[in-house]
Structure formats: structure tokens, C-alpha cells
Amino acid sequence: MDRINDFLTDFSSLLWGWPMIILLLGTHLYLTIILRFPQRKIFTAIKLSIKKDPDAQGDVSQFGSLATALAATIGTGNIIGVATAIALGGPGAVLWCWLTGVFGISTKYAEGLLAIEYRQKTPEGKMIGGPMYALELGLGMKWLAVLFAIFTACASFGIGNTVQANAISTLSFEAYHISPAITGIVVSLLTGAVVIGGVKSIARVCSMLVPFMAVFYVLGCIYIIGVNAEYVWPAIKLIGESAFSPQAAGGGFVGTTVMMAARFGIARGLFSNESGLGSAPIVAAAAQTRNPVRQALVSSSGTFWDTVIICALTGIVIVSSVLAYPDITFENGAVLTKVAFAKIPIVGTPLLTFGLLTFAFSTILGWCYYGERAVEYLKGHRWVIVYRVLYIIAIFFGSVMNLDIVWNLADCMNALMAIPNLISILALSSVIIHETRKYLWSNQLEKEM
């Protein structure tokens, strides 16, 4: 197992080297420019996300699809993932993570547009779509579509399942001394009760859970920032300076290079918001929307909430806490997160506990849907039940196992999913521009609102 873990570590480092950083950020920047900065439409996107489009085709509301996508992305990556990036890449990783989110809004917009443009209706009357359909129908690259679906199915058992279940069981044991086996059984049963109803059931639960957990966590972070008020501005300055300086960060932080800050910040940014990963378009395809641009904007708002707001707040909380309490150690992301939040009296530990439990559980639900659609694309609808059973069983094993190896596997699967998805976005950019010109640049969207 050690050799496998060492191999995955090296493979992950290779995948997340300069070529991936250039491809990912390059795509974000390229789309931002050719789409005339869709980030400026973020408030229109937020407004659309809470409006219903009942006469349009689709299985769930636009808000339901957004909530499900956010459920899958707002997970341990927002808390432990950000801390891991700081522990490995220094405080500058926070800025790279944030920039990945800001420019990633454009990529999430493009993904959502293609999801609607190439979605299909099944014989059962469901709407299905995602990068595999854009690759096959838009580019005629069936083989690459199959690879994307395989990577997605595999990733669902890592980033979306065992990693999250392990986070829940570990936290429950440390905070409340609950046996990991008992936690695994409870989480498995709760997941089974939700996912058995398909996308409508998942979207319904996520629509209730996501707003509540996000607001609670954001308010808690704002309170902690208030407690650390005198260290907030120094923390922001340190984040900015460390992102582009090879000097030791100081203030209790380990010394890092710019490459390390960029690599871990971007990797955790993608892990957090999944812009460019190709996962969110899978549920975007199920949305009730009358044209691709409406859902593209709604999808883009997910990255805004996930990374531009939540990850930024988490990063500032952790960096300001380290400056305030220099005795905080850097063993790993989980320890850094726990110690940083625990330094805040009364609300620190409960906030972390609630955030991790709800974020991780919602991620399990969202990624189950992604995996289902990937399996359905590969093997047909009949295999979805088999996948659900395996997915629920994996939750239990993830709760009781040591999963250091799975984190490295998750990073590898992220990159392997991103590559074919980014190829489809770049190759179909003319389609994206055409639809954007038709609905957004012509002000047709405002007329429909």
C-alpha cells in the first residue's frame, strides 16, 4: 500500500504540474476574455437561480440543480482542502485557490451551457447530459466520452464518497466518541433513504440543506474574523505577498515556493469548486430551463458561492488564526483546521463540526448522482441500482478505513476528468459564443426575465 500511495503521490504531482496549471488557468482566462467577462453578470445569475422556469423541459428546478451541484462541491475541500493547501503551499495558496474560483466562473458558465445544448431525453422521460454527451454529440469523440465517464464513476468513490464518509466518522469519533462503524452505518442508511428517489429526491434534500448550512457557516466565519480582527488585514497582506514571493512566509508558516503555492492552491480550488472538472454540468442538464444561457449563468453562480465566498472566508479564518496563535502546528490540513478553529472560544469547534458534517454529507448526495449518470452512460439505466448499492456500501468502508491513499487518488481523478472536459469546452467554444451572443449579448435574456 505504501508503494501504491507513493506512486499516486508522484502521479498526482505529475498531473498537477505546470501543464495542468497552464491548461486550467489558461482555459479560465481564455473563456473570460472571449465571453466578455461573464463574471460581471453574477448578480443576474443569482437572481435567475431563485426564479422558476416551469414551462421549460427538465426534471428539477434551476435552484434544485444549483443546490445539488453546490451540495457536491461544498464539502471537505472548502474546509480541510483549504487548510491542506495552506499547510503544503503556504498562505499564498489561498489567493491561487480564490483566483481559480474567480476566473473559474467563466468555465462553469461554459460547462453549464454545453450541458443544456447537448442534453438528451431518455426513454423514461428524464433529461441527461454532461461532458460525455458534449464530447460524443458535439465532437464525435465517443472514446473520450467513455474515458470521462469512467473517470467520473471512479472519482465518485473517492472525492464524493469515501473521503467524505471518513471525514464524518473521524470528526464524530474525535468530538463525540462515536464508533466509526456506527457512523458508517447511519450515514449509509441516510444516503440510501435519499438517493433511492433519484435526482428529484436528491435535489429536494439539497435545496433544504445547502442554504441552511452555507449561511450558518458563513456567519460563523464572519464571527471568527471579528474575533481575530486585528490579524485580518495582516493575514490578507500575507496571503497576497506569499502567492508571488518565494520567501519564507513567516508568522509560524512553513517556507514555500511560488510553484508550491500555485500548485496546491489551484488543485484545492478545483477540488473545491470543480470548475473545469465536468461534474456540475451533469446535474445542470436536468434543470428546467428554456435556453442554455439561463442555466449557464445559474451554474456559474455556484463557483461564486463555493470558492469566491466560502473558501476565501475559510482561508482568512485559518491564516488569521495562525497569526494570532503562533503555536498552531502544520502536521496536515485536518490538524491545522481543527486547531485553528478550536482557538476560537465557544463557537469555533461547534462551527467546524457542523460545517464538516453537513458539507461532507451533502457532497456524498451530489456525487452519487454524478456517478449514476456516468454509469448510465456506460452501461445503461439497469446498472444504476447496482451502482447505488456499491456506493452505499463504500460509505461504510470509507468510514472505518485509513484513507490517506484516497486523497491522492482523488487528486488524480480530478485531473483525469478535467482534461477531456476542458478539451470539449475549448473545441466547442464557437457554440458557446454563438449561444451567448444570441441570448446574453443581444439582451434577449433580460427580455425573458
Side-chain angles (χ1 to χ4, degrees):
M1 292 298 290
D2 288 340
R3 276 182 287 195
I4 294 175
N5 193 42
D6 290 341
F7 168 77
L8 288 173
T9 300
D10 293 340
F11 188 44
S12 175
S13 297
L14 176 65
L15 289 171
W16 285 109
W18 277 115
M20 175 56 75
I21 290 176
I22 293 171
L23 176 62
L24 183 62
L25 276 184
T27 300
H28 291 349
L29 291 169
Y30 171 71
L31 290 171
T32 295
I33 293 169
I34 67 168
L35 296 175
R36 302 179 186 175
F37 290 83
Q39 292 89 340
R40 60 193 173 86
K41 295 289 185 179
I42 192 63
F43 293 109
T44 300
I46 294 171
K47 183 178 178 180
L48 280 172
S49 69
I50 58 176
K51 289 174 67 73
K52 291 186 177 180
D53 203 1
D55 298 328
Q57 287 189 324
D59 301 323
V60 297
S61 67
Q62 290 178 314
F63 180 75
S65 70
L66 174 63
T68 304
L70 281 172
T73 56
I74 301 180
T76 55
N78 295 86
I79 304 177
I80 293 178
V82 172
T84 299
I86 295 171
L88 297 175
V94 176
L95 180 60
W96 287 105
C97 181
W98 188 78
L99 287 174
T100 301
V102 171
F103 291 107
I105 288 174
S106 299
T107 303
K108 189 65 73 72
Y109 170 93
E111 291 177 319
L113 191 152
L114 293 178
I116 301 299
E117 185 73 16
Y118 293 103
R119 68 180 178 178
Q120 302 291 298
K121 181 177 285 190
T122 68
E124 296 79 24
K126 296 184 302 181
M127 302 299 292
I128 56 175
M132 50 277 203
Y133 294 92
L135 285 163
E136 180 183 352
L137 302 177
L139 297 176
M141 302 175 73
K142 173 79 172 179
W143 64 274
L144 197 54
V146 169
L147 283 178
F148 175 85
I150 292 173
F151 296 147
T152 302
C154 292
S156 71
F157 285 96
I159 181 178
N161 184 318
T162 50
V163 165
Q164 311 298 334
N166 190 260
I168 293 173
S169 66
T170 300
L171 186 63
S172 299
F173 180 75
E174 292 179 353
Y176 307 109
H177 305 291
I178 300 173
S179 167
I182 293 176
T183 300
I185 292 171
V186 171
V187 176
S188 297
L189 291 174
L190 288 173
T191 302
V194 176
V195 303
I196 195 172
V199 65
K200 291 184 178 180
S201 176
I202 294 173
R204 183 166 56 250
V205 173
C206 291
S207 295
M208 293 185 292
L209 181 62
V210 168
F212 173 71
M213 71 183 192
V215 168
F216 182 87
Y217 183 75
V218 167
L219 290 176
C221 284
I222 291 173
Y223 170 79
I224 293 176
I225 288 173
V227 173
N228 292 342
E230 64 179 295
Y231 298 97
V232 171
W233 180 243
I236 294 173
K237 285 181 62 179
L238 183 60
I239 288 170
E241 292 169 357
S242 301
F244 303 102
S245 171
Q247 304 299 319
F253 289 97
V254 295
T256 58
T257 65
V258 173
M259 179 61 189
M260 289 174 65
R263 182 205 159 196
F264 289 109
I266 292 171
R268 294 302 163 185
L270 178 58
F271 188 93
S272 167
N273 64 57
E274 299 177 13
S275 291
L277 188 63
S279 52
I282 297 174
V283 70
Q288 294 172 334
T289 185
R290 73 184 73 174
N291 65 63
V293 169
R294 289 176 70 96
Q295 185 55 38
L297 287 170
V298 172
S299 294
S300 72
S301 69
T303 298
F304 172 80
W305 293 119
D306 178 88
T307 305
V308 178
I309 301 298
I310 293 179
C311 281
L313 287 173
T314 302
I316 293 171
V317 164
I318 293 174
V319 175
S320 64
S321 295
V322 173
L323 292 179
Y325 308 98
D327 60 316
I328 293 177
T329 60
F330 286 81
E331 295 177 41
N332 57 55
V335 172
L336 175 57
T337 304
K338 181 180 177 182
V339 174
F341 275 78
K343 290 291 185 179
I344 307 302
I346 303 176
V347 303
T349 298
L351 174 65
L352 176 63
T353 302
F354 177 82
L356 278 175
L357 288 176
T358 54
F359 286 11
F361 180 65
S362 69
T363 299
I364 290 173
L365 296 181
W367 266 91
C368 183
Y369 180 75
Y370 296 161
E372 284 183 12
R373 296 289 73 80
V375 169
E376 184 172 3
Y377 178 81
L378 292 169
K379 302 292 290 184
H381 180 69
R382 290 177 297 177
W383 284 83
V384 169
I385 298 298
V386 176
Y387 169 83
R388 286 178 185 168
V389 172
L390 293 176
Y391 192 85
I392 292 168
I393 292 173
I395 291 172
F396 174 78
F397 284 104
S399 300
V400 299
M401 292 172 59
N402 186 333
L403 292 180
D404 289 341
I405 192 172
V406 178
W407 279 98
N408 283 323
L409 182 62
D411 268 351
C412 293
M413 288 298 106
N414 277 356
L416 292 174
M417 284 178 66
I419 292 170
N421 178 57
L422 292 174
I423 289 173
S424 72
I425 292 172
L426 293 172
L428 294 169
S429 58
S430 60
V431 176
I432 299 169
I433 293 172
H434 176 269
E435 294 298 316
T436 302
R437 178 182 294 111
K438 179 179 178 181
Y439 292 104
L440 194 59
W441 298 343
S442 67
N443 296 322
Q444 179 64 30
L445 191 67
E446 281 77 4
K447 295 174 184 177
E448 292 180 358
M449 294 175 63

